[in-house]
Amino acid sequence: DAWKGREIPVKVLKVNRRRSNIVLSHKVVLEEEVSQRKNSTLEMIDEGVILEGKVKNITDYGVFIDLGGIDGLLHVTDICWGRVQNPNDMFKVDDALQVKVLKYDREKGRVSLGYKQLFPDPWDTVEERYPIGLRVRGKVVSIIDYGAFVELEEGVEGLVHISEMTWSKRTKHPAKIVSIGQLIDAIVLNIDTKEKRISLGLK
């Protein structure tokens, strides 16, 4: 019933004049359109090229993007420079977005995509913005046995080692000093841009 009254493109597959019967296919037309889009996309795909696509499916490990007859994977680590807990927080199915082709395996037809690569890497200028000795404020995003990671901005986190949390000589678990989501003030102690590490001091 949902198809009644709708005009759709079809292709004639078979004509039986004796029975006054014509067999039509809408599927064949769609397949041809997909094939044409795929060939057109294949001509454009190359590493480093920026394409427009549509979100087709979202998983825990990334987002599948329809580039036009070809699906590419936007891995969770290439969505943004910061932490991504759930790709569903960033995108929805049918969202249109631009992506960059990071890798294209022609033999297997696999396309790896990047979204964060369309924006500057915050670590490129981190030394200028966070000089040693600067007092900073950030949010605790992760706690481990040897310290806590503090987000200073999207894509830039610093580590407060447990030895830099308190002057007390009694070692406590970091969770007893700070908590996830807490805003804390700290001092920049050291920066390693090559390893993308910032050491922070709380005490």
Side-chain angles (χ1 to χ4, degrees):
D1 288 344
W3 290 85
K4 284 183 179 179
R6 288 177 59 181
E7 289 189 6
I8 58 171
V10 293
K11 192 166 189 176
V12 178
L13 298 184
K14 190 176 181 182
V15 177
N16 189 326
R17 297 183 184 279
R18 202 179 345 172
R19 294 185 179 180
S20 298
N21 187 19
I22 302 176
V23 179
L24 307 173
S25 175
H26 179 53
K27 180 182 176 182
V28 170
V29 175
L30 294 178
E31 288 174 346
E32 289 178 351
E33 289 177 353
V34 169
S35 180
Q36 289 174 1
R37 287 202 309 272
K38 184 175 181 179
N39 292 333
S40 177
T41 302
L42 284 172
E43 292 177 3
M44 293 188 294
I45 287 185
D46 201 0
E47 292 181 8
V49 171
I50 296 174
L51 301 173
E52 185 153 326
K54 186 178 283 189
V55 176
K56 186 175 182 180
N57 189 28
I58 301 175
T59 67
D60 291 338
Y61 56 87
V63 181
F64 286 94
I65 309 291
D66 180 3
L67 301 171
I70 295 177
D71 290 347
L73 174 63
L74 172 58
H75 195 268
V76 65
T77 56
D78 290 308
I79 290 178
C80 74
W81 293 108
R83 291 178 181 241
V84 178
Q85 301 293 340
N86 187 345
N88 283 287
D89 297 335
M90 300 285 295
F91 306 112
K92 292 183 176 62
V93 173
D94 289 334
D95 276 355
L97 69 155
Q98 286 189 322
V99 287
K100 187 173 186 178
V101 178
L102 303 181
K103 192 174 181 183
Y104 177 36
D105 188 330
R106 295 180 184 277
E107 291 183 6
K108 297 181 180 178
R110 291 180 182 172
V111 185
S112 297
L113 304 172
Y115 183 70
K116 73 180 184 182
Q117 286 77 7
L118 299 176
F119 308 94
D121 184 346
W123 280 91
D124 289 344
T125 57
V126 81
E127 275 186 310
E128 302 167 16
R129 293 178 292 111
Y130 297 101
I132 293 174
L134 180 71
R135 182 172 180 149
V136 294
R137 170 164 280 204
K139 182 172 70 174
V140 178
V141 291
S142 177
I143 297 175
I144 51 214
D145 290 339
Y146 57 86
F149 285 98
V150 178
E151 183 182 58
L152 303 177
E153 63 177 83
E154 185 178 295
V156 178
E157 293 180 9
L159 172 66
V160 181
H161 192 270
I162 190 169
S163 62
E164 296 295 340
M165 286 189 168
T166 175
W167 291 105
S168 173
K169 293 182 180 180
R170 291 186 178 182
T171 304
K172 295 180 180 179
H173 191 277
K176 297 199 174 189
I177 302 171
V178 296
S179 58
I180 299 252
Q182 180 183 352
L183 287 174
I184 63 170
D185 291 320
I187 299 292
V188 177
L189 302 178
N190 189 34
I191 294 181
D192 185 340
T193 52
K194 189 176 180 181
E195 297 295 329
K196 294 189 174 182
R197 292 176 181 169
I198 296 180
S199 298
L200 301 172
L202 183 61
K203 68 184 183 182

mmCIF file of all heavy atoms in Angstrom, residues 151-195:
data_model
loop_
_atom_site.group_PDB
_atom_site.id
_atom_site.type_symbol
_atom_site.label_atom_id
_atom_site.label_comp_id
_atom_site.label_asym_id
_atom_site.label_seq_id
_atom_site.Cartn_x
_atom_site.Cartn_y
_atom_site.Cartn_z
ATOM 1 N N GLU A 151 42.229 16.791 31.653
ATOM 2 C CA GLU A 151 42.000 17.401 30.341
ATOM 3 C C GLU A 151 42.110 18.916 30.470
ATOM 4 O O GLU A 151 41.347 19.550 31.191
ATOM 5 C CB GLU A 151 40.619 17.018 29.802
ATOM 6 C CG GLU A 151 40.355 17.566 28.399
ATOM 7 C CD GLU A 151 38.966 17.221 27.896
ATOM 8 O OE1 GLU A 151 37.982 17.596 28.578
ATOM 9 O OE2 GLU A 151 38.853 16.576 26.841
ATOM 10 N N LEU A 152 43.072 19.487 29.749
ATOM 11 C CA LEU A 152 43.273 20.933 29.773
ATOM 12 C C LEU A 152 42.439 21.614 28.690
ATOM 13 O O LEU A 152 41.999 22.748 28.845
ATOM 14 C CB LEU A 152 44.756 21.262 29.572
ATOM 15 C CG LEU A 152 45.714 20.628 30.600
ATOM 16 C CD1 LEU A 152 47.150 20.972 30.261
ATOM 17 C CD2 LEU A 152 45.361 21.089 32.007
ATOM 18 N N GLU A 153 42.245 20.903 27.588
ATOM 19 C CA GLU A 153 41.386 21.339 26.488
ATOM 20 C C GLU A 153 41.139 20.107 25.630
ATOM 21 O O GLU A 153 41.750 19.058 25.856
ATOM 22 C CB GLU A 153 42.059 22.442 25.660
ATOM 23 C CG GLU A 153 43.340 21.999 24.976
ATOM 24 C CD GLU A 153 43.941 23.087 24.111
ATOM 25 O OE1 GLU A 153 44.646 23.961 24.644
ATOM 26 O OE2 GLU A 153 43.692 23.039 22.900
ATOM 27 N N GLU A 154 40.257 20.208 24.654
ATOM 28 C CA GLU A 154 39.962 19.052 23.819
ATOM 29 C C GLU A 154 41.231 18.599 23.097
ATOM 30 O O GLU A 154 41.849 19.339 22.351
ATOM 31 C CB GLU A 154 38.889 19.391 22.780
ATOM 32 C CG GLU A 154 38.458 18.173 21.967
ATOM 33 C CD GLU A 154 37.359 18.502 20.973
ATOM 34 O OE1 GLU A 154 36.250 18.848 21.418
ATOM 35 O OE2 GLU A 154 37.626 18.444 19.757
ATOM 36 N N GLY A 155 41.641 17.359 23.360
ATOM 37 C CA GLY A 155 42.821 16.809 22.706
ATOM 38 C C GLY A 155 44.112 16.972 23.468
ATOM 39 O O GLY A 155 45.146 16.438 23.070
ATOM 40 N N VAL A 156 44.082 17.710 24.561
ATOM 41 C CA VAL A 156 45.300 17.919 25.352
ATOM 42 C C VAL A 156 45.046 17.508 26.798
ATOM 43 O O VAL A 156 44.233 18.111 27.490
ATOM 44 C CB VAL A 156 45.769 19.386 25.307
ATOM 45 C CG1 VAL A 156 47.004 19.568 26.178
ATOM 46 C CG2 VAL A 156 46.062 19.810 23.876
ATOM 47 N N GLU A 157 45.761 16.471 27.233
ATOM 48 C CA GLU A 157 45.652 15.990 28.607
ATOM 49 C C GLU A 157 47.026 15.992 29.257
ATOM 50 O O GLU A 157 48.044 15.816 28.590
ATOM 51 C CB GLU A 157 45.077 14.568 28.645
ATOM 52 C CG GLU A 157 43.634 14.478 28.188
ATOM 53 C CD GLU A 157 43.113 13.054 28.238
ATOM 54 O OE1 GLU A 157 43.817 12.167 28.783
ATOM 55 O OE2 GLU A 157 42.004 12.814 27.735
ATOM 56 N N GLY A 158 47.035 16.204 30.552
ATOM 57 C CA GLY A 158 48.273 16.146 31.316
ATOM 58 C C GLY A 158 48.148 15.106 32.416
ATOM 59 O O GLY A 158 47.040 14.789 32.855
ATOM 60 N N LEU A 159 49.283 14.581 32.851
ATOM 61 C CA LEU A 159 49.286 13.575 33.916
ATOM 62 C C LEU A 159 49.799 14.180 35.219
ATOM 63 O O LEU A 159 50.879 14.770 35.257
ATOM 64 C CB LEU A 159 50.170 12.391 33.532
ATOM 65 C CG LEU A 159 50.401 11.352 34.643
ATOM 66 C CD1 LEU A 159 49.103 10.644 35.008
ATOM 67 C CD2 LEU A 159 51.480 10.355 34.248
ATOM 68 N N VAL A 160 48.985 14.046 36.251
ATOM 69 C CA VAL A 160 49.440 14.387 37.604
ATOM 70 C C VAL A 160 49.867 13.071 38.242
ATOM 71 O O VAL A 160 49.025 12.235 38.595
ATOM 72 C CB VAL A 160 48.325 15.042 38.447
ATOM 73 C CG1 VAL A 160 48.876 15.395 39.831
ATOM 74 C CG2 VAL A 160 47.790 16.290 37.763
ATOM 75 N N HIS A 161 51.176 12.865 38.357
ATOM 76 C CA HIS A 161 51.680 11.629 38.963
ATOM 77 C C HIS A 161 51.342 11.637 40.446
ATOM 78 O O HIS A 161 51.243 12.704 41.074
ATOM 79 C CB HIS A 161 53.186 11.525 38.750
ATOM 80 C CG HIS A 161 53.728 10.172 39.080
ATOM 81 N ND1 HIS A 161 54.180 9.835 40.344
ATOM 82 C CD2 HIS A 161 53.875 9.061 38.302
ATOM 83 C CE1 HIS A 161 54.594 8.570 40.339
ATOM 84 N NE2 HIS A 161 54.423 8.074 39.114
ATOM 85 N N ILE A 162 51.170 10.455 40.990
ATOM 86 C CA ILE A 162 50.784 10.350 42.405
ATOM 87 C C ILE A 162 51.786 11.051 43.318
ATOM 88 O O ILE A 162 51.418 11.613 44.355
ATOM 89 C CB ILE A 162 50.614 8.862 42.812
ATOM 90 C CG1 ILE A 162 49.981 8.781 44.200
ATOM 91 C CG2 ILE A 162 51.924 8.104 42.710
ATOM 92 C CD1 ILE A 162 49.523 7.406 44.586
ATOM 93 N N SER A 163 53.064 11.073 42.896
ATOM 94 C CA SER A 163 54.103 11.727 43.712
ATOM 95 C C SER A 163 53.979 13.247 43.674
ATOM 96 O O SER A 163 54.596 13.941 44.488
ATOM 97 C CB SER A 163 55.490 11.316 43.212
ATOM 98 O OG SER A 163 55.683 11.748 41.873
ATOM 99 N N GLU A 164 53.178 13.763 42.707
ATOM 100 C CA GLU A 164 52.992 15.208 42.580
ATOM 101 C C GLU A 164 51.625 15.667 43.088
ATOM 102 O O GLU A 164 51.210 16.792 42.840
ATOM 103 C CB GLU A 164 53.155 15.627 41.118
ATOM 104 C CG GLU A 164 54.530 15.395 40.545
ATOM 105 C CD GLU A 164 55.605 16.256 41.206
ATOM 106 O OE1 GLU A 164 55.247 17.279 41.828
ATOM 107 O OE2 GLU A 164 56.798 15.899 41.113
ATOM 108 N N MET A 165 50.940 14.769 43.810
ATOM 109 C CA MET A 165 49.599 15.104 44.280
ATOM 110 C C MET A 165 49.581 15.712 45.680
ATOM 111 O O MET A 165 48.732 16.541 45.994
ATOM 112 C CB MET A 165 48.703 13.856 44.252
ATOM 113 C CG MET A 165 48.288 13.455 42.853
ATOM 114 S SD MET A 165 47.035 12.159 42.868
ATOM 115 C CE MET A 165 46.523 12.198 41.154
ATOM 116 N N THR A 166 50.491 15.263 46.523
ATOM 117 C CA THR A 166 50.484 15.740 47.906
ATOM 118 C C THR A 166 51.892 15.696 48.478
ATOM 119 O O THR A 166 52.731 14.912 48.023
ATOM 120 C CB THR A 166 49.540 14.872 48.770
ATOM 121 O OG1 THR A 166 49.653 15.284 50.131
ATOM 122 C CG2 THR A 166 49.882 13.398 48.670
ATOM 123 N N TRP A 167 52.142 16.579 49.461
ATOM 124 C CA TRP A 167 53.453 16.592 50.129
ATOM 125 C C TRP A 167 53.577 15.455 51.145
ATOM 126 O O TRP A 167 54.660 15.156 51.638
ATOM 127 C CB TRP A 167 53.683 17.925 50.833
ATOM 128 C CG TRP A 167 53.863 19.079 49.875
ATOM 129 C CD1 TRP A 167 52.972 20.055 49.578
ATOM 130 C CD2 TRP A 167 55.019 19.339 49.074
ATOM 131 N NE1 TRP A 167 53.485 20.921 48.640
ATOM 132 C CE2 TRP A 167 54.753 20.510 48.319
ATOM 133 C CE3 TRP A 167 56.267 18.710 48.924
ATOM 134 C CZ2 TRP A 167 55.678 21.044 47.426
ATOM 135 C CZ3 TRP A 167 57.187 19.257 48.041
ATOM 136 C CH2 TRP A 167 56.891 20.409 47.289
ATOM 137 N N SER A 168 52.467 14.846 51.448
ATOM 138 C CA SER A 168 52.484 13.761 52.429
ATOM 139 C C SER A 168 53.335 12.596 51.921
ATOM 140 O O SER A 168 53.294 12.241 50.747
ATOM 141 C CB SER A 168 51.056 13.277 52.692
ATOM 142 O OG SER A 168 51.081 12.124 53.510
ATOM 143 N N LYS A 169 54.132 12.021 52.814
ATOM 144 C CA LYS A 169 54.983 10.888 52.432
ATOM 145 C C LYS A 169 54.211 9.582 52.415
ATOM 146 O O LYS A 169 54.693 8.569 51.920
ATOM 147 C CB LYS A 169 56.164 10.784 53.406
ATOM 148 C CG LYS A 169 57.129 11.968 53.277
ATOM 149 C CD LYS A 169 58.306 11.817 54.201
ATOM 150 C CE LYS A 169 59.257 13.007 54.064
ATOM 151 N NZ LYS A 169 60.427 12.893 54.962
ATOM 152 N N ARG A 170 53.015 9.607 52.956
ATOM 153 C CA ARG A 170 52.188 8.399 52.924
ATOM 154 C C ARG A 170 51.501 8.312 51.568
ATOM 155 O O ARG A 170 50.719 9.182 51.202
ATOM 156 C CB ARG A 170 51.134 8.440 54.032
ATOM 157 C CG ARG A 170 51.726 8.323 55.423
ATOM 158 C CD ARG A 170 50.598 8.235 56.424
ATOM 159 N NE ARG A 170 51.105 8.085 57.783
ATOM 160 C CZ ARG A 170 50.334 7.937 58.856
ATOM 161 N NH1 ARG A 170 49.017 7.942 58.713
ATOM 162 N NH2 ARG A 170 50.862 7.788 60.056
ATOM 163 N N THR A 171 51.812 7.274 50.841
ATOM 164 C CA THR A 171 51.256 7.115 49.498
ATOM 165 C C THR A 171 49.792 6.715 49.584
ATOM 166 O O THR A 171 49.432 5.730 50.217
ATOM 167 C CB THR A 171 52.028 6.037 48.709
ATOM 168 O OG1 THR A 171 53.408 6.392 48.687
ATOM 169 C CG2 THR A 171 51.505 5.943 47.286
ATOM 170 N N LYS A 172 48.939 7.520 48.946
ATOM 171 C CA LYS A 172 47.521 7.208 48.882
ATOM 172 C C LYS A 172 47.145 6.920 47.438
ATOM 173 O O LYS A 172 47.832 7.348 46.519
ATOM 174 C CB LYS A 172 46.683 8.393 49.382
ATOM 175 C CG LYS A 172 46.877 8.730 50.843
ATOM 176 C CD LYS A 172 45.986 9.908 51.205
ATOM 177 C CE LYS A 172 46.145 10.289 52.668
ATOM 178 N NZ LYS A 172 45.293 11.452 53.020
ATOM 179 N N HIS A 173 46.056 6.207 47.258
ATOM 180 C CA HIS A 173 45.583 5.985 45.888
ATOM 181 C C HIS A 173 45.040 7.318 45.365
ATOM 182 O O HIS A 173 44.376 8.064 46.102
ATOM 183 C CB HIS A 173 44.478 4.922 45.859
ATOM 184 C CG HIS A 173 44.151 4.460 44.470
ATOM 185 N ND1 HIS A 173 43.291 5.156 43.641
ATOM 186 C CD2 HIS A 173 44.587 3.393 43.753
ATOM 187 C CE1 HIS A 173 43.207 4.536 42.483
ATOM 188 N NE2 HIS A 173 43.989 3.459 42.526
ATOM 189 N N PRO A 174 45.337 7.657 44.089
ATOM 190 C CA PRO A 174 44.880 8.931 43.524
ATOM 191 C C PRO A 174 43.385 9.186 43.705
ATOM 192 O O PRO A 174 42.960 10.333 43.852
ATOM 193 C CB PRO A 174 45.226 8.789 42.040
ATOM 194 C CG PRO A 174 46.396 7.860 42.024
ATOM 195 C CD PRO A 174 46.149 6.889 43.123
ATOM 196 N N ALA A 175 42.586 8.108 43.719
ATOM 197 C CA ALA A 175 41.132 8.258 43.854
ATOM 198 C C ALA A 175 40.740 8.836 45.212
ATOM 199 O O ALA A 175 39.623 9.329 45.376
ATOM 200 C CB ALA A 175 40.442 6.910 43.634
ATOM 201 N N LYS A 176 41.660 8.815 46.172
ATOM 202 C CA LYS A 176 41.365 9.371 47.484
ATOM 203 C C LYS A 176 41.703 10.861 47.547
ATOM 204 O O LYS A 176 41.386 11.542 48.526
ATOM 205 C CB LYS A 176 42.141 8.616 48.562
ATOM 206 C CG LYS A 176 41.746 7.149 48.640
ATOM 207 C CD LYS A 176 42.150 6.540 49.952
ATOM 208 C CE LYS A 176 41.607 5.121 50.021
ATOM 209 N NZ LYS A 176 41.748 4.496 51.310
ATOM 210 N N ILE A 177 42.354 11.333 46.473
ATOM 211 C CA ILE A 177 42.748 12.746 46.435
ATOM 212 C C ILE A 177 41.916 13.526 45.422
ATOM 213 O O ILE A 177 41.505 14.663 45.677
ATOM 214 C CB ILE A 177 44.251 12.869 46.102
ATOM 215 C CG1 ILE A 177 45.073 12.094 47.149
ATOM 216 C CG2 ILE A 177 44.681 14.334 46.043
ATOM 217 C CD1 ILE A 177 46.542 11.969 46.818
ATOM 218 N N VAL A 178 41.654 12.913 44.267
ATOM 219 C CA VAL A 178 40.857 13.563 43.212
ATOM 220 C C VAL A 178 39.768 12.610 42.737
ATOM 221 O O VAL A 178 39.822 11.411 43.002
ATOM 222 C CB VAL A 178 41.732 13.990 42.005
ATOM 223 C CG1 VAL A 178 42.742 15.040 42.410
ATOM 224 C CG2 VAL A 178 42.422 12.774 41.388
ATOM 225 N N SER A 179 38.792 13.147 42.037
ATOM 226 C CA SER A 179 37.703 12.316 41.514
ATOM 227 C C SER A 179 37.414 12.692 40.063
ATOM 228 O O SER A 179 37.689 13.812 39.625
ATOM 229 C CB SER A 179 36.437 12.473 42.365
ATOM 230 O OG SER A 179 36.047 13.838 42.400
ATOM 231 N N ILE A 180 36.852 11.757 39.315
ATOM 232 C CA ILE A 180 36.528 11.983 37.899
ATOM 233 C C ILE A 180 35.537 13.135 37.780
ATOM 234 O O ILE A 180 34.550 13.199 38.507
ATOM 235 C CB ILE A 180 35.893 10.716 37.284
ATOM 236 C CG1 ILE A 180 36.897 9.581 37.384
ATOM 237 C CG2 ILE A 180 35.444 10.984 35.859
ATOM 238 C CD1 ILE A 180 37.557 9.116 36.180
ATOM 239 N N GLY A 181 35.820 14.042 36.852
ATOM 240 C CA GLY A 181 34.949 15.194 36.632
ATOM 241 C C GLY A 181 35.315 16.405 37.467
ATOM 242 O O GLY A 181 34.807 17.500 37.229
ATOM 243 N N GLN A 182 36.198 16.229 38.444
ATOM 244 C CA GLN A 182 36.603 17.333 39.321
ATOM 245 C C GLN A 182 37.498 18.323 38.575
ATOM 246 O O GLN A 182 38.377 17.946 37.804
ATOM 247 C CB GLN A 182 37.357 16.771 40.530
ATOM 248 C CG GLN A 182 37.835 17.832 41.511
ATOM 249 C CD GLN A 182 38.637 17.221 42.662
ATOM 250 O OE1 GLN A 182 38.711 16.006 42.808
ATOM 251 N NE2 GLN A 182 39.250 18.067 43.465
ATOM 252 N N LEU A 183 37.268 19.602 38.795
ATOM 253 C CA LEU A 183 38.131 20.649 38.241
ATOM 254 C C LEU A 183 39.246 20.920 39.237
ATOM 255 O O LEU A 183 38.982 21.146 40.427
ATOM 256 C CB LEU A 183 37.334 21.928 37.981
ATOM 257 C CG LEU A 183 36.379 21.912 36.790
ATOM 258 C CD1 LEU A 183 35.557 23.190 36.754
ATOM 259 C CD2 LEU A 183 37.127 21.732 35.470
ATOM 260 N N ILE A 184 40.482 20.870 38.768
ATOM 261 C CA ILE A 184 41.611 21.098 39.671
ATOM 262 C C ILE A 184 42.580 22.117 39.061
ATOM 263 O O ILE A 184 42.641 22.297 37.848
ATOM 264 C CB ILE A 184 42.367 19.788 39.982
ATOM 265 C CG1 ILE A 184 42.985 19.208 38.692
ATOM 266 C CG2 ILE A 184 41.466 18.774 40.654
ATOM 267 C CD1 ILE A 184 43.937 18.053 38.951
ATOM 268 N N ASP A 185 43.336 22.785 39.921
ATOM 269 C CA ASP A 185 44.400 23.689 39.497
ATOM 270 C C ASP A 185 45.725 22.948 39.646
ATOM 271 O O ASP A 185 45.943 22.232 40.634
ATOM 272 C CB ASP A 185 44.409 24.948 40.354
ATOM 273 C CG ASP A 185 43.192 25.818 40.095
ATOM 274 O OD1 ASP A 185 42.795 25.934 38.922
ATOM 275 O OD2 ASP A 185 42.627 26.364 41.067
ATOM 276 N N ALA A 186 46.601 23.123 38.658
ATOM 277 C CA ALA A 186 47.902 22.452 38.691
ATOM 278 C C ALA A 186 48.951 23.336 38.023
ATOM 279 O O ALA A 186 48.628 24.340 37.399
ATOM 280 C CB ALA A 186 47.814 21.098 37.993
ATOM 281 N N ILE A 187 50.205 22.926 38.172
ATOM 282 C CA ILE A 187 51.329 23.633 37.569
ATOM 283 C C ILE A 187 51.953 22.743 36.489
ATOM 284 O O ILE A 187 52.134 21.542 36.689
ATOM 285 C CB ILE A 187 52.401 23.975 38.631
ATOM 286 C CG1 ILE A 187 51.818 24.878 39.710
ATOM 287 C CG2 ILE A 187 53.619 24.634 37.974
ATOM 288 C CD1 ILE A 187 51.463 26.270 39.242
ATOM 289 N N VAL A 188 52.282 23.331 35.339
ATOM 290 C CA VAL A 188 52.951 22.586 34.265
ATOM 291 C C VAL A 188 54.404 22.356 34.678
ATOM 292 O O VAL A 188 55.156 23.316 34.902
ATOM 293 C CB VAL A 188 52.904 23.348 32.927
ATOM 294 C CG1 VAL A 188 53.672 22.581 31.857
ATOM 295 C CG2 VAL A 188 51.467 23.580 32.493
ATOM 296 N N LEU A 189 54.796 21.081 34.790
ATOM 297 C CA LEU A 189 56.153 20.728 35.225
ATOM 298 C C LEU A 189 57.064 20.390 34.057
ATOM 299 O O LEU A 189 58.244 20.725 34.055
ATOM 300 C CB LEU A 189 56.104 19.530 36.186
ATOM 301 C CG LEU A 189 55.264 19.699 37.459
ATOM 302 C CD1 LEU A 189 55.287 18.409 38.262
ATOM 303 C CD2 LEU A 189 55.783 20.864 38.278
ATOM 304 N N ASN A 190 56.503 19.725 33.062
ATOM 305 C CA ASN A 190 57.326 19.293 31.931
ATOM 306 C C ASN A 190 56.446 19.013 30.717
ATOM 307 O O ASN A 190 55.276 18.633 30.865
ATOM 308 C CB ASN A 190 58.121 18.036 32.310
ATOM 309 C CG ASN A 190 59.155 17.681 31.264
ATOM 310 O OD1 ASN A 190 59.732 18.563 30.639
ATOM 311 N ND2 ASN A 190 59.376 16.400 31.055
ATOM 312 N N ILE A 191 57.013 19.180 29.505
ATOM 313 C CA ILE A 191 56.267 18.908 28.269
ATOM 314 C C ILE A 191 57.148 18.097 27.325
ATOM 315 O O ILE A 191 58.322 18.428 27.111
ATOM 316 C CB ILE A 191 55.838 20.212 27.563
ATOM 317 C CG1 ILE A 191 54.821 20.981 28.401
ATOM 318 C CG2 ILE A 191 55.228 19.903 26.199
ATOM 319 C CD1 ILE A 191 54.348 22.269 27.755
ATOM 320 N N ASP A 192 56.571 17.039 26.759
ATOM 321 C CA ASP A 192 57.245 16.243 25.736
ATOM 322 C C ASP A 192 56.306 16.209 24.531
ATOM 323 O O ASP A 192 55.380 15.405 24.471
ATOM 324 C CB ASP A 192 57.512 14.818 26.250
ATOM 325 C CG ASP A 192 58.315 13.980 25.258
ATOM 326 O OD1 ASP A 192 58.333 14.345 24.067
ATOM 327 O OD2 ASP A 192 58.905 12.973 25.662
ATOM 328 N N THR A 193 56.540 17.121 23.576
ATOM 329 C CA THR A 193 55.622 17.218 22.430
ATOM 330 C C THR A 193 55.720 16.001 21.522
ATOM 331 O O THR A 193 54.748 15.630 20.875
ATOM 332 C CB THR A 193 55.926 18.489 21.613
ATOM 333 O OG1 THR A 193 57.316 18.525 21.279
ATOM 334 C CG2 THR A 193 55.567 19.727 22.395
ATOM 335 N N LYS A 194 56.901 15.378 21.471
ATOM 336 C CA LYS A 194 57.073 14.201 20.610
ATOM 337 C C LYS A 194 56.183 13.051 21.079
ATOM 338 O O LYS A 194 55.535 12.376 20.285
ATOM 339 C CB LYS A 194 58.539 13.773 20.615
ATOM 340 C CG LYS A 194 58.845 12.690 19.591
ATOM 341 C CD LYS A 194 60.342 12.369 19.579
ATOM 342 C CE LYS A 194 60.627 11.276 18.549
ATOM 343 N NZ LYS A 194 62.063 10.913 18.532
ATOM 344 N N GLU A 195 56.159 12.838 22.382
ATOM 345 C CA GLU A 195 55.339 11.767 22.961
ATOM 346 C C GLU A 195 53.940 12.266 23.343
ATOM 347 O O GLU A 195 53.120 11.493 23.831
ATOM 348 C CB GLU A 195 56.029 11.188 24.199
ATOM 349 C CG GLU A 195 57.364 10.521 23.917
ATOM 350 C CD GLU A 195 57.231 9.285 23.053
ATOM 351 O OE1 GLU A 195 56.184 8.609 23.138
ATOM 352 O OE2 GLU A 195 58.169 8.997 22.289
#
